[in-house]
Short mmCIF file of all heavy atoms in Angstrom, two decimals:
data_model
loop_
_atom_site.label_atom_id
_atom_site.label_comp_id
_atom_site.label_asym_id
_atom_site.label_seq_id
_atom_site.Cartn_x
_atom_site.Cartn_y
_atom_site.Cartn_z
N ALA A 24 322.46 38.00 112.37
CA ALA A 24 323.79 37.42 112.56
C ALA A 24 324.77 38.13 111.65
O ALA A 24 324.39 38.92 110.77
CB ALA A 24 323.78 35.93 112.25
N VAL A 25 326.03 37.84 111.85
CA VAL A 25 327.06 38.25 110.91
C VAL A 25 327.16 37.15 109.87
O VAL A 25 327.34 35.98 110.22
CB VAL A 25 328.42 38.46 111.59
CG1 VAL A 25 329.50 38.76 110.55
CG2 VAL A 25 328.34 39.59 112.61
N TYR A 26 327.03 37.51 108.63
CA TYR A 26 327.07 36.55 107.55
C TYR A 26 328.43 36.55 106.88
O TYR A 26 328.95 37.61 106.53
CB TYR A 26 325.97 36.85 106.53
CG TYR A 26 324.61 36.44 106.99
CD1 TYR A 26 323.97 37.12 108.03
CD2 TYR A 26 323.95 35.34 106.43
CE1 TYR A 26 322.72 36.72 108.49
CE2 TYR A 26 322.70 34.95 106.87
CZ TYR A 26 322.10 35.64 107.91
OH TYR A 26 320.86 35.24 108.36
N TYR A 27 328.98 35.36 106.71
CA TYR A 27 330.30 35.21 106.15
C TYR A 27 330.27 34.47 104.82
O TYR A 27 329.59 33.45 104.68
CB TYR A 27 331.21 34.43 107.10
CG TYR A 27 331.45 35.11 108.43
CD1 TYR A 27 330.62 34.85 109.52
CD2 TYR A 27 332.51 35.98 108.59
CE1 TYR A 27 330.84 35.47 110.74
CE2 TYR A 27 332.75 36.60 109.81
CZ TYR A 27 331.91 36.33 110.88
OH TYR A 27 332.14 36.94 112.09
N CYS A 28 331.01 34.97 103.90
CA CYS A 28 331.25 34.28 102.64
C CYS A 28 332.46 33.38 102.84
O CYS A 28 333.42 33.75 103.52
CB CYS A 28 331.53 35.31 101.54
SG CYS A 28 331.96 34.60 99.93
N ALA A 29 332.41 32.19 102.28
CA ALA A 29 333.51 31.25 102.46
C ALA A 29 333.80 30.48 101.17
O ALA A 29 332.91 30.28 100.34
CB ALA A 29 333.17 30.26 103.58
N ALA A 30 335.04 30.07 101.04
CA ALA A 30 335.47 29.27 99.91
C ALA A 30 336.20 28.05 100.42
O ALA A 30 336.88 28.10 101.44
CB ALA A 30 336.38 30.08 98.99
N SER A 31 336.08 26.97 99.70
CA SER A 31 336.73 25.73 100.08
C SER A 31 338.24 25.89 100.10
O SER A 31 338.82 26.62 99.30
CB SER A 31 336.34 24.62 99.10
OG SER A 31 337.02 23.42 99.38
N SER A 32 338.88 25.20 101.03
CA SER A 32 340.33 25.25 101.12
C SER A 32 340.98 24.52 99.96
O SER A 32 342.15 24.76 99.65
CB SER A 32 340.80 24.65 102.45
OG SER A 32 340.41 23.30 102.57
N ASP A 33 340.24 23.62 99.33
CA ASP A 33 340.76 22.83 98.22
C ASP A 33 339.94 23.06 96.96
O ASP A 33 338.72 22.92 96.98
CB ASP A 33 340.74 21.35 98.56
CG ASP A 33 341.59 21.00 99.76
OD1 ASP A 33 342.74 21.47 99.83
OD2 ASP A 33 341.11 20.26 100.64
N PRO A 34 340.61 23.41 95.87
CA PRO A 34 339.89 23.59 94.61
C PRO A 34 339.55 22.26 93.97
O PRO A 34 340.10 21.21 94.34
CB PRO A 34 340.88 24.39 93.76
CG PRO A 34 342.22 23.90 94.24
CD PRO A 34 342.05 23.69 95.72
N TYR A 35 338.63 22.30 93.04
CA TYR A 35 338.24 21.14 92.26
C TYR A 35 337.75 19.97 93.13
O TYR A 35 337.93 18.80 92.78
CB TYR A 35 339.39 20.66 91.39
CG TYR A 35 339.95 21.72 90.47
CD1 TYR A 35 341.18 22.31 90.73
CD2 TYR A 35 339.22 22.14 89.36
CE1 TYR A 35 341.68 23.29 89.89
CE2 TYR A 35 339.72 23.11 88.52
CZ TYR A 35 340.95 23.68 88.79
OH TYR A 35 341.45 24.65 87.95
N TYR A 36 337.14 20.29 94.21
CA TYR A 36 336.65 19.25 95.11
C TYR A 36 335.52 19.77 95.97
O TYR A 36 335.55 20.90 96.43
CB TYR A 36 337.80 18.74 95.99
CG TYR A 36 337.50 17.45 96.70
CD1 TYR A 36 337.60 16.23 96.04
CD2 TYR A 36 337.11 17.44 98.04
CE1 TYR A 36 337.33 15.03 96.69
CE2 TYR A 36 336.82 16.25 98.69
CZ TYR A 36 336.94 15.05 98.01
OH TYR A 36 336.67 13.87 98.66
N ASP A 37 334.55 18.92 96.20
CA ASP A 37 333.42 19.27 97.05
C ASP A 37 333.48 18.44 98.33
O ASP A 37 333.47 17.22 98.28
CB ASP A 37 332.10 19.03 96.33
CG ASP A 37 331.87 20.01 95.20
OD1 ASP A 37 332.06 21.22 95.42
OD2 ASP A 37 331.51 19.56 94.09
N ASN A 38 333.53 19.13 99.44
CA ASN A 38 333.59 18.50 100.75
C ASN A 38 332.20 18.47 101.35
O ASN A 38 331.54 19.51 101.48
CB ASN A 38 334.56 19.28 101.66
CG ASN A 38 334.89 18.53 102.92
OD1 ASN A 38 333.99 18.05 103.62
ND2 ASN A 38 336.17 18.43 103.23
N TYR A 39 331.76 17.28 101.74
CA TYR A 39 330.42 17.12 102.28
C TYR A 39 330.39 16.90 103.78
O TYR A 39 329.38 16.44 104.32
CB TYR A 39 329.71 15.98 101.56
CG TYR A 39 329.34 16.31 100.13
CD1 TYR A 39 330.24 16.07 99.10
CD2 TYR A 39 328.11 16.87 99.82
CE1 TYR A 39 329.92 16.38 97.79
CE2 TYR A 39 327.78 17.18 98.51
CZ TYR A 39 328.68 16.93 97.50
OH TYR A 39 328.35 17.24 96.20
N HIS A 40 331.48 17.22 104.44
CA HIS A 40 331.56 17.01 105.88
C HIS A 40 331.16 18.27 106.65
O HIS A 40 331.82 19.30 106.55
CB HIS A 40 332.98 16.59 106.26
CG HIS A 40 333.43 15.31 105.64
ND1 HIS A 40 332.77 14.12 105.84
CD2 HIS A 40 334.48 15.04 104.83
CE1 HIS A 40 333.39 13.16 105.18
NE2 HIS A 40 334.43 13.69 104.56
N PRO A 41 330.09 18.17 107.41
CA PRO A 41 329.69 19.30 108.25
C PRO A 41 330.64 19.45 109.44
O PRO A 41 331.38 18.50 109.76
CB PRO A 41 328.28 18.91 108.71
CG PRO A 41 328.30 17.42 108.70
CD PRO A 41 329.18 17.04 107.54
N PRO A 42 330.67 20.57 110.11
CA PRO A 42 329.80 21.73 109.88
C PRO A 42 330.35 22.75 108.90
O PRO A 42 329.59 23.61 108.44
CB PRO A 42 329.70 22.34 111.28
CG PRO A 42 331.06 22.07 111.88
CD PRO A 42 331.44 20.70 111.36
N LEU A 43 331.64 22.70 108.58
CA LEU A 43 332.23 23.73 107.75
C LEU A 43 332.41 23.33 106.29
O LEU A 43 332.77 24.16 105.46
CB LEU A 43 333.59 24.17 108.32
CG LEU A 43 333.55 24.72 109.74
CD1 LEU A 43 334.94 25.18 110.16
CD2 LEU A 43 332.55 25.86 109.86
N TYR A 44 332.17 22.08 105.98
CA TYR A 44 332.19 21.59 104.60
C TYR A 44 333.47 21.94 103.86
O TYR A 44 333.44 22.27 102.67
CB TYR A 44 330.96 22.11 103.86
CG TYR A 44 329.67 21.63 104.47
CD1 TYR A 44 329.04 22.37 105.47
CD2 TYR A 44 329.10 20.42 104.09
CE1 TYR A 44 327.86 21.91 106.06
CE2 TYR A 44 327.93 19.96 104.67
CZ TYR A 44 327.32 20.71 105.66
OH TYR A 44 326.16 20.26 106.25
N GLY A 45 334.58 21.86 104.56
CA GLY A 45 335.87 22.06 103.93
C GLY A 45 336.23 23.49 103.60
O GLY A 45 337.22 23.72 102.89
N MET A 46 335.46 24.43 104.10
CA MET A 46 335.75 25.84 103.82
C MET A 46 337.01 26.28 104.57
O MET A 46 337.14 26.03 105.77
CB MET A 46 334.58 26.73 104.20
CG MET A 46 333.27 26.35 103.52
SD MET A 46 333.38 26.51 101.72
CE MET A 46 331.84 25.72 101.22
N GLY A 47 337.91 26.93 103.87
CA GLY A 47 339.15 27.37 104.47
C GLY A 47 339.45 28.84 104.30
O GLY A 47 340.35 29.36 104.95
N TYR A 48 338.72 29.51 103.44
CA TYR A 48 338.89 30.94 103.22
C TYR A 48 337.62 31.66 103.63
O TYR A 48 336.52 31.25 103.26
CB TYR A 48 339.20 31.23 101.76
CG TYR A 48 340.48 30.60 101.27
CD1 TYR A 48 340.45 29.36 100.64
CD2 TYR A 48 341.71 31.23 101.44
CE1 TYR A 48 341.62 28.77 100.19
CE2 TYR A 48 342.88 30.64 101.00
CZ TYR A 48 342.83 29.41 100.38
OH TYR A 48 343.99 28.83 99.94
N TRP A 49 337.79 32.75 104.38
CA TRP A 49 336.64 33.45 104.93
C TRP A 49 336.74 34.95 104.75
O TRP A 49 337.82 35.53 104.84
CB TRP A 49 336.52 33.15 106.43
CG TRP A 49 336.38 31.70 106.74
CD1 TRP A 49 337.39 30.79 106.90
CD2 TRP A 49 335.16 30.97 106.90
NE1 TRP A 49 336.87 29.54 107.17
CE2 TRP A 49 335.51 29.62 107.17
CE3 TRP A 49 333.81 31.33 106.86
CZ2 TRP A 49 334.54 28.63 107.39
CZ3 TRP A 49 332.86 30.34 107.07
CH2 TRP A 49 333.23 29.02 107.34
N GLY A 50 335.60 35.56 104.49
CA GLY A 50 335.54 37.01 104.47
C GLY A 50 335.42 37.51 105.89
O GLY A 50 335.33 36.74 106.85
N LYS A 51 335.39 38.83 106.04
CA LYS A 51 335.29 39.42 107.37
C LYS A 51 333.86 39.51 107.87
O LYS A 51 333.62 39.79 109.04
CB LYS A 51 335.93 40.81 107.36
CG LYS A 51 337.43 40.78 107.16
CD LYS A 51 338.03 42.17 107.24
CE LYS A 51 339.54 42.12 107.09
NZ LYS A 51 340.15 43.47 107.18
N GLY A 52 332.91 39.28 107.00
CA GLY A 52 331.52 39.24 107.40
C GLY A 52 330.77 40.55 107.17
O GLY A 52 331.36 41.62 107.10
N THR A 53 329.46 40.43 107.07
CA THR A 53 328.58 41.58 106.96
C THR A 53 327.39 41.35 107.89
O THR A 53 326.82 40.26 107.92
CB THR A 53 328.12 41.81 105.50
OG1 THR A 53 327.33 42.99 105.42
CG2 THR A 53 327.32 40.62 104.97
N LEU A 54 327.04 42.35 108.65
CA LEU A 54 326.00 42.21 109.66
C LEU A 54 324.61 42.37 109.07
O LEU A 54 324.32 43.34 108.37
CB LEU A 54 326.21 43.23 110.77
CG LEU A 54 325.16 43.25 111.90
CD1 LEU A 54 325.17 41.92 112.65
CD2 LEU A 54 325.44 44.41 112.85
#
């Protein structure tokens, strides 16, 4: 698959809601 690094859209907080768990920033991916 293409693997993506992601960071939460909100700092200082952990989001436990699937499927994206609050991630709002994404890299372009690596295959």
Side-chain angles (χ1 to χ4, degrees):
V25 175
Y26 283 70
Y27 297 91
C28 176
S31 176
S32 61
D33 300 313
Y35 304 106
Y36 194 80
D37 291 312
N38 192 310
Y39 289 88
H40 299 301
L43 302 183
Y44 298 90
M46 304 298 170
Y48 299 94
W49 302 86
K51 293 183 178 180
T53 184
L54 178 63

